[in-house]
Coordinates of all heavy atoms in Angstrom, one line a residue:
G27 N -26.4 -26.3 -2.6 CA -25.9 -25.4 -1.7 C -25.5 -24.0 -2.3 O -24.4 -23.9 -2.8
L28 N -26.5 -23.1 -2.4 CA -26.2 -21.9 -3.1 C -25.4 -20.9 -2.2 O -25.6 -20.8 -1.0 CB -27.5 -21.2 -3.4 CG -28.4 -21.9 -4.4 CD1 -29.8 -21.2 -4.5 CD2 -27.7 -21.9 -5.8
P29 N -24.4 -20.3 -2.7 CA -23.6 -19.3 -1.9 C -24.5 -18.1 -1.6 O -25.2 -17.6 -2.4 CB -22.5 -18.9 -2.9 CG -23.0 -19.1 -4.2 CD -23.9 -20.3 -4.1
A30 N -24.5 -17.8 -0.3 CA -25.4 -16.7 0.1 C -24.8 -16.0 1.3 O -24.0 -16.5 2.0 CB -26.8 -17.2 0.5
R31 N -25.2 -14.7 1.5 CA -24.8 -13.9 2.6 C -26.1 -13.6 3.4 O -26.8 -12.7 2.9 CB -24.0 -12.7 2.2 CG -23.5 -11.9 3.4 CD -22.7 -10.7 3.0 NE -23.5 -9.6 2.5 CZ -23.5 -9.2 1.3 NH1 -22.8 -9.9 0.4 NH2 -24.2 -8.2 0.9
D32 N -26.4 -14.3 4.4 CA -27.7 -14.2 5.1 C -27.5 -13.3 6.3 O -26.7 -13.6 7.2 CB -28.2 -15.5 5.5 CG -28.4 -16.5 4.3 OD1 -29.0 -16.0 3.3 OD2 -28.0 -17.6 4.4
I33 N -28.3 -12.2 6.4 CA -28.2 -11.3 7.5 C -29.6 -11.2 8.1 O -30.5 -10.6 7.6 CB -27.8 -9.9 7.0 CG1 -26.5 -10.0 6.2 CG2 -27.6 -9.0 8.2 CD1 -26.2 -8.7 5.5
G34 N -29.8 -11.9 9.2 CA -31.1 -11.9 9.9 C -32.1 -12.9 9.3 O -33.0 -13.4 10.0
V35 N -32.0 -13.2 8.0 CA -32.9 -14.2 7.4 C -32.1 -15.3 6.8 O -31.2 -15.0 6.0 CB -33.8 -13.5 6.3 CG1 -34.7 -14.5 5.6 CG2 -34.6 -12.4 6.8
A36 N -32.4 -16.5 7.2 CA -31.6 -17.7 6.7 C -32.5 -18.7 6.0 O -32.9 -19.6 6.7 CB -30.8 -18.3 7.9
P37 N -32.8 -18.5 4.8 CA -33.7 -19.5 4.1 C -33.0 -20.8 3.8 O -31.7 -20.9 3.8 CB -34.0 -18.8 2.8 CG -32.8 -17.9 2.5 CD -32.3 -17.5 3.9
S38 N -33.8 -21.8 3.7 CA -33.3 -23.2 3.4 C -32.8 -23.2 1.9 O -33.2 -22.3 1.2 CB -34.3 -24.2 3.6 OG -35.4 -24.0 2.8
P39 N -32.1 -24.2 1.5 CA -31.8 -24.3 0.0 C -33.1 -24.3 -0.9 O -33.1 -23.6 -1.9 CB -31.1 -25.7 -0.1 CG -30.5 -25.9 1.2 CD -31.4 -25.3 2.2
D40 N -34.2 -24.9 -0.4 CA -35.4 -24.8 -1.2 C -36.0 -23.4 -1.2 O -36.5 -22.9 -2.2 CB -36.4 -25.8 -0.6 CG -36.1 -27.3 -0.9 OD1 -35.3 -27.5 -1.9 OD2 -36.6 -28.2 -0.2
G41 N -35.8 -22.7 0.0 CA -36.3 -21.4 0.1 C -35.5 -20.5 -0.9 O -36.1 -19.5 -1.5
K42 N -34.2 -20.7 -1.0 CA -33.4 -19.9 -1.9 C -33.8 -20.1 -3.4 O -33.9 -19.1 -4.2 CB -31.9 -20.2 -1.7 CG -31.4 -19.7 -0.4 CD -29.9 -20.1 -0.2 CE -29.4 -19.7 1.1 NZ -28.0 -20.1 1.4
R43 N -34.1 -21.4 -3.7 CA -34.6 -21.6 -5.1 C -35.9 -20.9 -5.3 O -36.1 -20.4 -6.4 CB -34.7 -23.1 -5.3 CG -33.4 -23.9 -5.4 CD -33.6 -25.3 -5.9 NE -32.4 -26.1 -5.8 CZ -32.2 -27.0 -4.8 NH1 -33.1 -27.1 -3.9 NH2 -31.1 -27.7 -4.8
S44 N -36.8 -21.0 -4.3 CA -38.1 -20.4 -4.5 C -37.9 -18.8 -4.6 O -38.6 -18.2 -5.4 CB -39.0 -20.7 -3.3 OG -40.2 -20.1 -3.4
M45 N -37.0 -18.3 -3.9 CA -36.8 -16.8 -4.0 C -36.2 -16.5 -5.3 O -36.6 -15.4 -5.9 CB -35.8 -16.4 -2.9 CG -35.6 -14.9 -2.7 SD -34.6 -14.6 -1.2 CE -34.1 -12.9 -1.6
M46 N -35.3 -17.3 -5.9 CA -34.8 -17.1 -7.2 C -35.8 -17.2 -8.3 O -35.8 -16.4 -9.2 CB -33.6 -18.1 -7.5 CG -32.4 -17.9 -6.6 SD -31.1 -19.0 -7.0 CE -30.5 -18.4 -8.6
K47 N -36.8 -18.1 -8.1 CA -37.8 -18.2 -9.1 C -38.8 -17.0 -9.1 O -39.2 -16.5 -10.1 CB -38.6 -19.5 -8.9 CG -37.8 -20.8 -9.2 CD -38.7 -22.0 -8.9 CE -37.9 -23.3 -9.3 NZ -38.6 -24.5 -9.0
L48 N -39.0 -16.5 -7.9 CA -39.9 -15.3 -7.8 C -39.2 -14.1 -8.4 O -39.8 -13.3 -9.1 CB -40.2 -15.1 -6.3 CG -41.0 -13.8 -6.0 CD1 -42.4 -13.9 -6.7 CD2 -41.2 -13.6 -4.5
A49 N -37.9 -14.0 -8.1 CA -37.1 -12.9 -8.7 C -37.1 -13.0 -10.3 O -37.2 -12.0 -11.0 CB -35.7 -12.9 -8.2
Q50 N -37.0 -14.2 -10.8 CA -37.0 -14.4 -12.2 C -38.3 -14.0 -12.8 O -38.3 -13.3 -13.9 CB -36.7 -15.9 -12.6 CG -36.6 -16.1 -14.1 CD -36.3 -17.6 -14.4 OE1 -36.1 -18.4 -13.5 NE2 -36.1 -17.9 -15.6
R51 N -39.4 -14.3 -12.2 CA -40.7 -13.9 -12.7 C -40.8 -12.4 -12.6 O -41.4 -11.7 -13.5 CB -41.8 -14.6 -11.9 CG -43.2 -14.1 -12.3 CD -44.3 -15.1 -11.8 NE -44.4 -15.2 -10.4 CZ -45.1 -14.4 -9.6 NH1 -45.8 -13.5 -10.2 NH2 -45.2 -14.6 -8.3
M52 N -40.3 -11.8 -11.6 CA -40.3 -10.3 -11.4 C -39.5 -9.6 -12.6 O -40.1 -8.7 -13.2 CB -39.7 -9.9 -10.1 CG -39.6 -8.4 -9.9 SD -38.8 -8.0 -8.3 CE -37.1 -8.6 -8.5
V53 N -38.3 -10.2 -12.9 CA -37.6 -9.6 -14.0 C -38.3 -9.8 -15.4 O -38.3 -8.8 -16.2 CB -36.1 -10.2 -14.0 CG1 -35.4 -9.7 -15.3 CG2 -35.4 -9.8 -12.8
T54 N -38.8 -11.0 -15.6 CA -39.5 -11.2 -16.8 C -40.7 -10.3 -17.0 O -41.0 -9.8 -18.1 CB -40.0 -12.7 -16.9 OG1 -38.8 -13.6 -16.8 CG2 -40.7 -13.0 -18.2

């Protein structure tokens, strides 16, 4: 259960993990 402030888009917990992994690849 990741803390999030969802405005208009409400991803699932799996969706949040996937988004975090994409952002990590972006930063790397």
